[in-house]
Amino acid sequence: MNYPIPASPQEVADLRQKPVDEEIVAAAIAGVIEISRSQGKSLDQLTAEVLADDRLLDGAQRRWLSDVVTQTWKKLS
């Protein structure tokens, strides 16, 4: 991966300045997982946040993203 895993919420937000590609998305997901872990959150808590209703993603997209987060969480363990 060409981008380091973000270590803070600000670094995740800074990724918005980069062109979106699969490496940016992967770095953002990994960063959110690492930040969540450092805050003592569990996988269940993080997936609940991902699955929470919002205006950006529909239900199917949130479920897909939740699955990706779960798979990535386990790989980063």
Side-chain angles (χ1 to χ4, degrees):
M1 186 164 31
N2 293 324
Y3 299 99
I5 294 174
S8 70
Q10 183 58 47
E11 289 179 10
V12 172
D14 290 346
L15 292 176
R16 293 183 205 166
Q17 305 306 315
K18 310 279 186 197
V20 176
D21 63 19
E22 61 189 32
E23 289 193 15
I24 287 288
V25 173
I29 291 170
V32 167
I33 289 169
E34 292 298 323
I35 293 165
S36 296
R37 285 179 172 167
S38 74
Q39 295 173 342
K41 291 182 183 176
S42 68
L43 174 58
D44 289 339
Q45 290 170 314
L46 180 55
T47 56
E49 290 178 17
V50 170
L51 291 170
D53 195 14
D54 64 25
R55 292 184 234 171
L56 296 175
L57 304 174
D58 65 29
Q61 291 168 321
R62 287 192 308 275
R63 285 187 299 278
W64 175 85
L65 182 55
S66 175
D67 290 343
V68 170
V69 166
T70 298
Q71 291 171 21
T72 306
W73 180 289
K74 292 175 181 177
K75 288 183 180 184
L76 292 175
S77 294

